[in-house]
Amino acid sequence: MKMNTTVRNIPARPRAPVASAMLNEPVQIGLCKTICLSCNLRDLCVPCCALTRLEKDAAERMVFSRTRVRRGEHLYRCGERFGALFGVRYGFFKSVSLLKDGRDQVTGYAIAGDVMGVDGIGPERYACNTVALEDSEVCVLPFAGLLALAQEIPSLQRHFYKMMSREIVREQGVMLQLGSMNAEERLAMLLLDLSKRFAAHGCSSSEFNLPMTREEVGSYLGLKLATVSRTFSKFQDDGLIAVQQKFIRIRDRVRLELVMGRGLV
C-alpha cells in the first residue's frame, strides 16, 4: 500500500482543523510504493504484511497522504463532516467532548499506531474534538477509498471490523472500571494501560512521557486536580513510580498492578 511522503508545512498561527483541509485535497497516486509495507506500525494500522501478492497489487492503487499536526492544533472538531480515518505515525492526541454545562471532558487518547476517527463512521460526523498534545504526524486514510479497497481485499475488511470492535471494547472497559475504582486504582489503570500500549508499539513499557497535564489526567479519570497530584506524589513516595515533569518511570509494576487489581474484584 502506497503513501505520499511529502509532508506539508503547518503555519504557526491557528488554522482550520487538519481534517477539513486534507479532505479538500486530491489523493495522489503512484508515489513511494513500499512505505506502508516497510512501516513498523503496519500491523497496528493496516496489516500490509498479511496480504497476498494479488491483494498487495490491488492495494497499490490506493495511496495515503500524511500531515503534521502541531501541539495544540485540532486534527478535527466535533460535528465536522466525516471523511477519513487517521493513523498516528508519531505523537500523542487527546479526544475531548463538550459537556452540557460547558466543561470539556477528556474521553480518550491516542499514540503511535492507533487509528482515530472511528466514532464518525456511523453518524458521518466526528463525535469529539481531537487535539495534538505534542507535535505529531498522522496518515490520512480517506474512508471512501478504504471501503472500495476492502471490497477487493476481504482480509483488510476483517481488520477494520476488528479495529472498530477493539475501540468499542476498550472504551466500554474503561467506563466500567472507572465506575468502581478509587483515585489510586484509576491512576494505576491509566499508567498500566499506557505501558501496555507503548509496549505493543515497540516502545519501552516502563519509561515514557505522559504529555497530558494533571488537569487532563483528572478530566479523563473523573478526578479533581488536587487528587491527581496527591496520588502521583503517593505513588512516587511509595516507590511505585518515579516522576520528573512529564517523564514517568514504573519502578514496581507488580505493586502497581496490585493497586489496580483492587478495583477489579
Side-chain angles (χ1 to χ4, degrees):
M1 191 173 297
K2 301 179 283 185
M3 181 185 303
N4 179 5
T5 58
T6 301
V7 178
R8 301 184 301 134
N9 293 324
I10 305 298
R13 295 182 179 180
R15 61 182 181 86
V18 172
S20 298
M22 293 300 297
L23 291 179
N24 291 325
E25 296 181 357
V27 177
Q28 298 182 4
I29 304 296
L31 300 178
C32 297
K33 298 180 179 180
T34 61
I35 293 298
C36 273
L37 298 178
S38 60
C39 178
N40 63 344
L41 301 176
R42 62 186 179 272
D43 292 333
L44 296 166
C45 184
V46 179
C48 299
C49 62
L51 304 182
T52 66
R53 183 170 182 176
L54 289 177
E55 290 173 335
K56 287 179 181 179
D57 289 340
E60 285 181 353
R61 295 200 298 272
M62 181 72 183
V63 64
F64 302 134
S65 59
R66 68 189 190 192
T67 188
R68 289 178 180 168
V69 189
R70 289 193 178 186
R71 180 177 178 267
E73 286 189 325
H74 283 76
L75 179 61
Y76 51 81
R77 295 184 187 272
C78 180
E80 285 186 346
R81 179 176 61 87
F82 170 79
L85 301 177
F86 301 90
V88 184
R89 287 182 58 83
Y90 64 79
F92 201 109
F93 290 84
K94 68 174 179 178
S95 297
V96 181
S97 294
L98 182 65
L99 301 180
K100 292 182 179 180
D101 60 7
R103 292 182 294 118
D104 286 339
Q105 172 72 50
V106 178
T107 56
Y109 56 90
I111 63 176
D114 290 339
V115 177
M116 300 179 295
V118 175
D119 56 355
I121 294 176
E124 298 184 349
R125 298 279 176 179
Y126 293 109
C128 61
N129 297 324
T130 297
V131 184
L133 294 181
E134 61 186 20
D135 289 348
S136 306
E137 185 174 280
V138 298
C139 295
V140 183
L141 316 174
F143 192 64
L146 289 177
L147 286 180
L149 192 61
Q151 291 180 353
E152 298 186 56
I153 306 176
S155 60
L156 188 61
Q157 188 175 55
R158 289 192 296 272
H159 172 74
F160 289 135
Y161 290 153
K162 289 180 180 179
M163 178 186 67
M164 288 185 283
S165 175
R166 180 185 64 199
E167 293 302 315
I168 293 172
V169 170
R170 176 189 294 167
E171 291 182 3
Q172 289 180 337
V174 169
M175 287 189 293
L176 289 173
Q177 291 179 22
L178 289 179
S180 61
M181 288 181 165
N182 62 30
E184 292 182 16
E185 294 160 350
R186 294 181 187 195
L187 183 57
M189 181 197 71
L190 172 63
L191 296 176
L192 290 170
D193 183 54
L194 276 170
S195 171
K196 178 181 178 180
R197 289 168 69 177
F198 278 122
H201 301 163
C203 301
S204 172
S205 63
S206 59
E207 297 183 348
F208 48 84
N209 284 315
L210 179 61
M212 287 189 287
T213 65
R214 296 294 185 264
E215 291 90 346
E216 289 165 338
V217 170
S219 177
Y220 180 64
L221 297 178
L223 300 172
K224 294 182 178 180
L225 172 60
T227 303
V228 173
S229 298
R230 184 169 60 249
T231 307
F232 265 110
S233 297
K234 185 178 188 305
F235 280 4
Q236 183 159 247
D237 293 342
D238 290 347
L240 276 65
I241 63 174
V243 182
Q244 187 175 4
Q245 296 180 337
K246 294 185 176 182
F247 179 77
I248 305 291
R249 179 162 63 90
I250 297 178
R251 298 178 60 187
D252 194 330
R253 179 178 301 275
V254 173
R255 290 172 59 204
L256 194 61
E257 290 174 343
L258 289 174
V259 169
M260 177 183 168
R262 292 200 300 265
L264 303 178
V265 176

